Amino acid sequence: MTSARAPVSFTVRARTDLGRTRDHNEDAFLVADLGARSTDLTNGGPHKVGERGTLFLVADGMGGAAAGELASSMAADLIFRHLLERASTSPQADAEQFAQQLRDAVEEANEHIHAYSKDHPDVRGMGTTATVAGVLQGTLYLAQVGDSRGYLVRDGVATQLTKDQSLMQRLVDAGELTEEEAEQSERRNIILQALGPDAKIRVDLSWQELRRGDVLVICSDGLSGQVKREEIAALVEQQPDLDALCDQLIMLANERGGPDNITVVAVRFDGDGLPPAGSSGEVGYRTMLNQETSETPAAIPARPPEPVVPPAENPPPPVVPAPPAPKRSGSPAAVAALTFGVIVLLTIFYFLLRR
């Protein structure tokens, strides 16, 4: 007979805001206990991370009219339903299974949204980002598509745990731009992937061990595009109250123009099931697909394609929605071509300037 694990607890708050220039909100967020099937977690606390894990999600829709709002709400609903089904029909998941279920849930949501878009011309081309964080025991797993972000604040330092699937990030990775230059670029909102526009996507799966006192901040680019990582860390350190923290982050983004919808989910972790604050442990982006890195969990095997099933007729669960306004996106083929062209031009300009 195995002894019970020491508990991991969390307190979470979430906010979504229209911003200063949009006339509707295409963002959505969701917080859920997958074992208790509960989404009423953004009040009170601390709550315990259940045996089936806890879900934190931010989605940022695009497509104009009601399409963006619909896409982000569908993503939250479909991912939640998929994970609930796995929790109720399979034995308790271990770490690798849990991470794979997150990835499967995001891939399946993409298939549904893509099929729905094809069948409904009025929302054709709609899409949404998705940053999906799942916590099981003392480990955080992140399934990422698009450019919404996840940061972990530890010891006064905020570290980005996700990698943007964007044109600017690709240029930074190629050494063509610095991060500072990318942040100032007019093309910083061009993303290379989203749920919906294409039948297949590549979900970026990463992980992070948690410590007591860690604060996870998941946000849409309406926040990360206006508030720097260092400023997020400073506010987390200055403001222990998560309600006030969310309000201050949104207020700061709005003071800087609020050009997009702003959504933030802030989670503080605690409990005897986590190592104490100040104990050793690195923070950073760690992909679960890097088989050469011995410290990462086992690589997740590829999942065979599944048939596309029309989305459920009943719209989303307790998700936070609102309506349209075209955003940034592009099909992978078109954006890939644009990416190549930009890289070539930047390389030419670079060598010309160096002469």
Side-chain angles (χ1 to χ4, degrees):
M1 185 174 178
T2 58
S3 58
R5 291 180 180 273
V8 176
S9 62
F10 67 94
T11 303
V12 58
R13 296 293 185 267
R15 296 283 191 280
T16 189
D17 188 82
L18 188 63
R20 293 288 174 84
T21 63
R22 303 282 185 174
D23 59 6
H24 56 277
N25 193 337
E26 294 181 305
D27 287 0
F29 69 78
L30 179 67
V31 178
D33 183 318
L34 298 173
R37 308 174 72 88
S38 171
T39 57
D40 186 23
L41 301 174
T42 55
N43 293 303
H47 308 282
K48 288 184 179 179
V49 173
E51 293 184 355
R52 294 290 183 171
T54 302
L55 175 69
F56 309 95
L57 177 153
V58 167
D60 179 356
M62 62 197 76
E69 177 187 0
L70 178 61
S72 62
S73 296
M74 284 180 67
D77 180 39
L78 290 162
I79 290 168
F80 181 42
R81 292 186 186 187
H82 177 99
L83 293 170
L84 283 183
E85 180 182 348
R86 294 298 180 272
S88 63
T89 60
S90 61
Q92 182 177 342
D94 61 22
E96 184 175 341
Q97 290 170 334
F98 182 71
Q100 181 161 331
Q101 287 170 6
L102 289 176
R103 187 182 70 178
D104 290 350
V106 176
E107 290 178 343
E108 186 175 276
N110 177 69
E111 292 172 356
H112 284 307
I113 296 170
H114 180 71
Y116 185 90
S117 175
K118 287 179 64 178
D119 292 340
H120 297 78
D122 55 322
V123 294
R124 185 159 294 172
M126 72 178 185
T128 181
T129 70
T131 297
V132 184
V135 177
L136 184 68
Q137 298 162 13
T139 305
L140 168 69
Y141 302 91
L142 295 119
Q144 170 82 0
V145 175
D147 64 350
S148 293
R149 289 182 178 178
Y151 297 98
L152 192 78
V153 182
R154 179 183 293 176
D155 299 329
V157 177
T159 304
Q160 187 175 333
L161 299 182
T162 56
K163 180 170 281 193
D164 296 350
Q165 295 173 349
S166 66
L167 174 61
M168 290 300 102
Q169 183 62 55
R170 181 167 289 184
L171 293 176
V172 170
D173 291 344
E176 300 295 337
L177 292 178
T178 66
E179 289 188 6
E180 292 73 20
E181 290 169 335
E183 288 175 358
Q184 299 301 318
S185 172
E186 294 181 356
R187 296 185 177 88
R188 65 183 178 275
N189 289 331
I190 298 177
I191 59 176
L192 304 180
Q193 275 202 135
L195 302 188
D198 294 285
K200 296 297 176 184
I201 55 169
R202 181 187 60 80
V203 179
D204 189 18
L205 196 60
S206 57
W207 66 286
Q208 174 68 50
E209 293 289 349
L210 296 170
R211 299 286 182 270
R212 294 177 209 167
D214 283 352
V215 175
L216 172 67
V217 176
I218 306 175
C219 61
S220 61
D221 68 335
L223 179 67
S224 61
Q226 305 303 314
V227 181
K228 294 183 181 297
R229 182 176 65 242
E230 296 79 9
E231 294 173 316
I232 293 174
L235 283 173
V236 168
E237 290 296 294
Q238 296 165 13
Q239 185 51 263
D241 181 85
L242 294 182
D243 281 305
L245 172 65
C246 290
D247 291 339
Q248 289 177 12
L249 287 169
I250 288 175
M251 181 175 67
L252 185 55
N254 275 325
E255 286 175 351
R256 294 174 179 174
D260 201 352
N261 308 143
I262 310 160
T263 299
V264 57
V265 175
V267 195
R268 179 175 288 110
F269 295 98
D270 208 338
D272 293 338
L274 297 177
S279 58
S280 61
E282 294 184 359
V283 182
Y285 169 75
R286 298 176 179 179
T287 178
M288 291 189 70
L289 299 180
N290 184 359
Q291 300 182 35
E292 298 177 359
T293 305
S294 59
E295 66 175 345
T296 60
I300 306 298
R303 183 174 66 90
E306 295 178 353
V308 175
V309 181
E313 297 201 354
N314 296 331
V319 176
V320 177
K327 209 178 165 106
R328 64 282 184 281
S329 76
S331 72
V335 176
L338 175 61
T339 303
F340 180 76
V342 171
I343 291 174
V344 171
L345 288 174
L346 287 172
T347 303
I348 294 171
F349 290 150
Y350 174 81
F351 285 109
L352 287 174
L353 290 172
R354 288 284 180 175
R355 289 186 176 181

CSV table of all heavy atoms in Angstrom, one decimal, residues 143-182:
chain,number,residue,atom,x,y,z
A,143,ALA,N,1.4,23.1,-23.3
A,143,ALA,CA,1.2,22.8,-24.7
A,143,ALA,C,0.9,24.1,-25.4
A,143,ALA,O,0.0,24.9,-25.0
A,143,ALA,CB,0.0,21.8,-24.9
A,144,GLN,N,1.7,24.5,-26.4
A,144,GLN,CA,1.7,25.8,-27.0
A,144,GLN,C,1.4,25.8,-28.5
A,144,GLN,O,2.1,25.1,-29.2
A,144,GLN,CB,3.0,26.5,-26.7
A,144,GLN,CG,3.3,27.8,-27.4
A,144,GLN,CD,2.6,29.0,-26.7
A,144,GLN,OE1,2.0,28.8,-25.6
A,144,GLN,NE2,2.8,30.1,-27.2
A,145,VAL,N,0.5,26.7,-28.9
A,145,VAL,CA,0.3,27.0,-30.3
A,145,VAL,C,0.1,28.5,-30.4
A,145,VAL,O,-0.9,29.0,-29.8
A,145,VAL,CB,-0.9,26.2,-30.9
A,145,VAL,CG1,-1.1,26.7,-32.4
A,145,VAL,CG2,-0.6,24.7,-30.9
A,146,GLY,N,0.9,29.2,-31.2
A,146,GLY,CA,0.7,30.6,-31.4
A,146,GLY,C,1.6,31.4,-30.5
A,146,GLY,O,2.8,31.0,-30.2
A,147,ASP,N,1.2,32.6,-30.0
A,147,ASP,CA,2.1,33.6,-29.3
A,147,ASP,C,1.5,34.1,-28.0
A,147,ASP,O,2.1,35.0,-27.4
A,147,ASP,CB,2.4,34.7,-30.2
A,147,ASP,CG,1.2,35.6,-30.6
A,147,ASP,OD1,0.1,35.2,-30.3
A,147,ASP,OD2,1.4,36.7,-31.1
A,148,SER,N,0.5,33.5,-27.5
A,148,SER,CA,0.2,33.7,-26.1
A,148,SER,C,1.3,33.1,-25.3
A,148,SER,O,2.0,32.2,-25.7
A,148,SER,CB,-1.2,33.1,-25.7
A,148,SER,OG,-2.2,33.8,-26.4
A,149,ARG,N,1.5,33.6,-24.1
A,149,ARG,CA,2.7,33.2,-23.4
A,149,ARG,C,2.5,32.7,-21.9
A,149,ARG,O,1.5,33.0,-21.3
A,149,ARG,CB,3.7,34.4,-23.3
A,149,ARG,CG,4.3,34.8,-24.6
A,149,ARG,CD,5.3,35.9,-24.4
A,149,ARG,NE,5.9,36.3,-25.7
A,149,ARG,CZ,6.8,37.3,-25.8
A,149,ARG,NH1,7.2,38.0,-24.8
A,149,ARG,NH2,7.3,37.5,-27.0
A,150,GLY,N,3.5,31.9,-21.5
A,150,GLY,CA,3.5,31.5,-20.1
A,150,GLY,C,4.8,31.9,-19.5
A,150,GLY,O,5.9,31.6,-20.0
A,151,TYR,N,4.8,32.6,-18.3
A,151,TYR,CA,6.0,33.0,-17.6
A,151,TYR,C,6.0,32.4,-16.2
A,151,TYR,O,4.9,32.2,-15.6
A,151,TYR,CB,6.0,34.5,-17.4
A,151,TYR,CG,6.1,35.4,-18.6
A,151,TYR,CD1,4.9,36.0,-19.1
A,151,TYR,CD2,7.3,35.7,-19.2
A,151,TYR,CE1,5.0,36.8,-20.3
A,151,TYR,CE2,7.4,36.5,-20.3
A,151,TYR,CZ,6.2,37.1,-20.9
A,151,TYR,OH,6.3,37.9,-22.0
A,152,LEU,N,7.1,32.1,-15.7
A,152,LEU,CA,7.2,31.6,-14.3
A,152,LEU,C,8.1,32.6,-13.5
A,152,LEU,O,9.2,32.9,-14.0
A,152,LEU,CB,7.8,30.2,-14.2
A,152,LEU,CG,7.7,29.6,-12.8
A,152,LEU,CD1,6.3,29.1,-12.5
A,152,LEU,CD2,8.7,28.5,-12.5
A,153,VAL,N,7.6,33.2,-12.4
A,153,VAL,CA,8.3,34.1,-11.6
A,153,VAL,C,8.8,33.4,-10.4
A,153,VAL,O,8.0,32.9,-9.6
A,153,VAL,CB,7.4,35.3,-11.2
A,153,VAL,CG1,8.2,36.3,-10.4
A,153,VAL,CG2,6.8,36.0,-12.5
A,154,ARG,N,10.1,33.4,-10.2
A,154,ARG,CA,10.8,32.7,-9.1
A,154,ARG,C,11.9,33.6,-8.6
A,154,ARG,O,12.7,34.0,-9.4
A,154,ARG,CB,11.3,31.3,-9.5
A,154,ARG,CG,12.0,30.6,-8.3
A,154,ARG,CD,12.5,29.2,-8.8
A,154,ARG,NE,11.5,28.3,-9.1
A,154,ARG,CZ,11.7,27.1,-9.6
A,154,ARG,NH1,13.0,26.7,-9.8
A,154,ARG,NH2,10.7,26.3,-9.9
A,155,ASP,N,12.0,33.8,-7.3
A,155,ASP,CA,13.1,34.6,-6.7
A,155,ASP,C,13.2,36.0,-7.4
A,155,ASP,O,14.3,36.5,-7.7
A,155,ASP,CB,14.4,33.9,-6.8
A,155,ASP,CG,14.4,32.6,-6.0
A,155,ASP,OD1,13.6,32.5,-5.0
A,155,ASP,OD2,15.1,31.6,-6.5
A,156,GLY,N,12.1,36.6,-7.8
A,156,GLY,CA,12.1,37.9,-8.4
A,156,GLY,C,12.4,38.0,-9.8
A,156,GLY,O,12.6,39.1,-10.4
A,157,VAL,N,12.5,36.9,-10.5
A,157,VAL,CA,12.9,36.8,-11.9
A,157,VAL,C,11.8,36.1,-12.7
A,157,VAL,O,11.3,35.0,-12.3
A,157,VAL,CB,14.2,36.1,-12.2
A,157,VAL,CG1,14.5,36.0,-13.6
A,157,VAL,CG2,15.3,36.8,-11.4
A,158,ALA,N,11.3,36.7,-13.8
A,158,ALA,CA,10.3,36.1,-14.7
A,158,ALA,C,11.0,35.5,-15.9
A,158,ALA,O,11.8,36.1,-16.5
A,158,ALA,CB,9.3,37.2,-15.2
A,159,THR,N,10.7,34.2,-16.1
A,159,THR,CA,11.3,33.5,-17.2
A,159,THR,C,10.2,33.0,-18.1
A,159,THR,O,9.2,32.4,-17.6
A,159,THR,CB,12.1,32.2,-16.7
A,159,THR,OG1,13.1,32.7,-15.7
A,159,THR,CG2,12.7,31.5,-17.8
A,160,GLN,N,10.4,33.2,-19.4
A,160,GLN,CA,9.3,32.7,-20.4
A,160,GLN,C,9.5,31.2,-20.6
A,160,GLN,O,10.6,30.8,-21.0
A,160,GLN,CB,9.5,33.5,-21.7
A,160,GLN,CG,8.4,33.1,-22.7
A,160,GLN,CD,8.4,34.0,-23.9
A,160,GLN,OE1,9.0,35.1,-23.9
A,160,GLN,NE2,7.9,33.5,-25.0
A,161,LEU,N,8.4,30.5,-20.3
A,161,LEU,CA,8.5,29.0,-20.4
A,161,LEU,C,8.0,28.5,-21.8
A,161,LEU,O,8.1,27.4,-22.1
A,161,LEU,CB,7.6,28.4,-19.3
A,161,LEU,CG,7.9,28.7,-17.9
A,161,LEU,CD1,7.0,27.9,-16.9
A,161,LEU,CD2,9.4,28.3,-17.6
A,162,THR,N,7.4,29.4,-22.5
A,162,THR,CA,6.9,29.1,-23.9
A,162,THR,C,7.7,29.8,-24.9
A,162,THR,O,8.4,30.7,-24.6
A,162,THR,CB,5.4,29.5,-24.0
A,162,THR,OG1,5.3,30.9,-23.7
A,162,THR,CG2,4.5,28.7,-23.1
A,163,LYS,N,7.7,29.2,-26.1
A,163,LYS,CA,8.3,29.9,-27.3
A,163,LYS,C,7.3,30.3,-28.3
A,163,LYS,O,6.5,29.5,-28.8
A,163,LYS,CB,9.4,28.9,-27.9
A,163,LYS,CG,10.1,29.5,-29.1
A,163,LYS,CD,11.3,28.7,-29.5
A,163,LYS,CE,12.5,28.8,-28.6
A,163,LYS,NZ,13.7,28.2,-29.2
A,164,ASP,N,7.3,31.6,-28.6
A,164,ASP,CA,6.3,32.1,-29.6
A,164,ASP,C,6.5,31.4,-30.9
A,164,ASP,O,7.6,31.2,-31.4
A,164,ASP,CB,6.5,33.6,-29.9
A,164,ASP,CG,6.2,34.4,-28.6
A,164,ASP,OD1,5.7,33.9,-27.6
A,164,ASP,OD2,6.5,35.6,-28.7
A,165,GLN,N,5.4,31.0,-31.5
A,165,GLN,CA,5.4,30.5,-32.9
A,165,GLN,C,5.1,31.6,-33.8
A,165,GLN,O,4.0,31.7,-34.3
A,165,GLN,CB,4.4,29.3,-33.0
A,165,GLN,CG,4.8,28.1,-32.1
A,165,GLN,CD,3.8,27.0,-32.1
A,165,GLN,OE1,2.7,27.2,-32.5
A,165,GLN,NE2,4.1,25.9,-31.5
A,166,SER,N,6.1,32.5,-34.0
A,166,SER,CA,5.9,33.7,-34.7
A,166,SER,C,7.0,34.0,-35.7
A,166,SER,O,8.1,33.4,-35.6
A,166,SER,CB,5.8,34.9,-33.7
A,166,SER,OG,7.0,35.1,-33.1
A,167,LEU,N,6.8,34.9,-36.6
A,167,LEU,CA,7.8,35.3,-37.6
A,167,LEU,C,9.0,35.9,-36.9
A,167,LEU,O,10.1,35.5,-37.2
A,167,LEU,CB,7.2,36.3,-38.6
A,167,LEU,CG,8.2,36.9,-39.6
A,167,LEU,CD1,8.8,35.8,-40.4
A,167,LEU,CD2,7.5,38.0,-40.4
A,168,MET,N,8.7,36.8,-35.9
A,168,MET,CA,9.9,37.4,-35.3
A,168,MET,C,10.7,36.4,-34.4
A,168,MET,O,11.9,36.5,-34.4
A,168,MET,CB,9.3,38.5,-34.3
A,168,MET,CG,8.8,39.7,-35.1
A,168,MET,SD,10.0,40.5,-36.2
A,168,MET,CE,9.5,39.9,-37.8
A,169,GLN,N,10.0,35.5,-33.8
A,169,GLN,CA,10.8,34.5,-33.0
A,169,GLN,C,11.7,33.6,-34.0
A,169,GLN,O,12.8,33.3,-33.6
A,169,GLN,CB,9.8,33.5,-32.3
A,169,GLN,CG,10.5,32.5,-31.4
A,169,GLN,CD,11.4,33.2,-30.3
A,169,GLN,OE1,10.8,34.0,-29.5
A,169,GLN,NE2,12.6,32.8,-30.2
A,170,ARG,N,11.2,33.3,-35.2
A,170,ARG,CA,12.0,32.6,-36.1
A,170,ARG,C,13.2,33.4,-36.5
A,170,ARG,O,14.3,32.8,-36.7
A,170,ARG,CB,11.1,32.2,-37.3
A,170,ARG,CG,11.9,31.4,-38.4
A,170,ARG,CD,11.0,30.8,-39.4
A,170,ARG,NE,10.1,29.7,-38.8
A,170,ARG,CZ,9.3,29.0,-39.6
A,170,ARG,NH1,9.2,29.2,-40.9
A,170,ARG,NH2,8.6,28.0,-39.0
A,171,LEU,N,13.0,34.7,-36.7
A,171,LEU,CA,14.2,35.5,-37.1
A,171,LEU,C,15.2,35.6,-36.0
A,171,LEU,O,16.4,35.7,-36.2
A,171,LEU,CB,13.7,36.9,-37.6
A,171,LEU,CG,12.9,36.9,-38.8
A,171,LEU,CD1,12.3,38.3,-39.1
A,171,LEU,CD2,13.7,36.4,-40.0
A,172,VAL,N,14.7,35.7,-34.7
A,172,VAL,CA,15.6,35.7,-33.6
A,172,VAL,C,16.3,34.4,-33.5
A,172,VAL,O,17.5,34.4,-33.3
A,172,VAL,CB,14.7,36.0,-32.3
A,172,VAL,CG1,15.6,35.7,-31.0
A,172,VAL,CG2,14.2,37.4,-32.2
A,173,ASP,N,15.6,33.3,-33.7
A,173,ASP,CA,16.3,32.0,-33.6
A,173,ASP,C,17.4,31.8,-34.7
A,173,ASP,O,18.4,31.2,-34.5
A,173,ASP,CB,15.3,30.9,-33.8
A,173,ASP,CG,14.4,30.7,-32.5
A,173,ASP,OD1,14.7,31.3,-31.5
A,173,ASP,OD2,13.3,30.1,-32.7
A,174,ALA,N,17.1,32.5,-35.8
A,174,ALA,CA,18.1,32.4,-36.9
A,174,ALA,C,19.2,33.4,-36.8
A,174,ALA,O,20.2,33.4,-37.6
A,174,ALA,CB,17.3,32.7,-38.3
A,175,GLY,N,19.2,34.2,-35.7
A,175,GLY,CA,20.2,35.2,-35.5
A,175,GLY,C,20.1,36.4,-36.3
A,175,GLY,O,21.1,37.2,-36.4
A,176,GLU,N,19.0,36.6,-37.0
A,176,GLU,CA,18.8,37.8,-37.8
A,176,GLU,C,18.3,39.0,-37.1
A,176,GLU,O,18.5,40.2,-37.5
A,176,GLU,CB,17.8,37.5,-39.0
A,176,GLU,CG,18.2,36.3,-39.9
A,176,GLU,CD,19.5,36.6,-40.6
A,176,GLU,OE1,19.8,37.8,-40.8
A,176,GLU,OE2,20.2,35.7,-41.0
A,177,LEU,N,17.7,38.8,-35.9
A,177,LEU,CA,17.2,39.9,-35.1
A,177,LEU,C,17.6,39.6,-33.6
A,177,LEU,O,17.6,38.5,-33.2
A,177,LEU,CB,15.7,40.1,-35.2
A,177,LEU,CG,15.1,40.6,-36.6
A,177,LEU,CD1,13.6,40.7,-36.5
A,177,LEU,CD2,15.7,42.0,-36.9
A,178,THR,N,17.7,40.7,-32.9
A,178,THR,CA,17.8,40.5,-31.4
A,178,THR,C,16.4,40.5,-30.9
A,178,THR,O,15.4,40.9,-31.5
A,178,THR,CB,18.6,41.7,-30.8
A,178,THR,OG1,17.8,42.9,-30.9
A,178,THR,CG2,20.0,41.8,-31.4
A,179,GLU,N,16.2,40.0,-29.6
A,179,GLU,CA,14.9,40.1,-29.0
A,179,GLU,C,14.4,41.5,-28.9
A,179,GLU,O,13.2,41.7,-29.1
A,179,GLU,CB,15.0,39.4,-27.6
A,179,GLU,CG,15.2,37.9,-27.6
A,179,GLU,CD,15.0,37.3,-26.3
A,179,GLU,OE1,14.7,38.0,-25.3
A,179,GLU,OE2,15.3,36.1,-26.2
A,180,GLU,N,15.2,42.4,-28.6
A,180,GLU,CA,14.8,43.8,-28.5
A,180,GLU,C,14.3,44.3,-29.9
A,180,GLU,O,13.3,45.0,-29.9
A,180,GLU,CB,16.0,44.7,-28.0
A,180,GLU,CG,16.4,44.4,-26.6
A,180,GLU,CD,17.2,43.1,-26.4
A,180,GLU,OE1,17.7,42.6,-27.4
A,180,GLU,OE2,17.2,42.6,-25.3
A,181,GLU,N,15.0,44.0,-30.9
A,181,GLU,CA,14.5,44.4,-32.3
A,181,GLU,C,13.2,43.8,-32.6
A,181,GLU,O,12.3,44.4,-33.2
A,181,GLU,CB,15.6,44.1,-33.3
A,181,GLU,CG,16.9,44.9,-33.2
A,181,GLU,CD,18.0,44.4,-34.0
A,181,GLU,OE1,18.0,43.1,-34.3
A,181,GLU,OE2,18.9,45.2,-34.4
A,182,ALA,N,13.1,42.5,-32.3
A,182,ALA,CA,11.8,41.8,-32.6
A,182,ALA,C,10.6,42.4,-31.9
A,182,ALA,O,9.5,42.5,-32.4
A,182,ALA,CB,12.0,40.3,-32.2
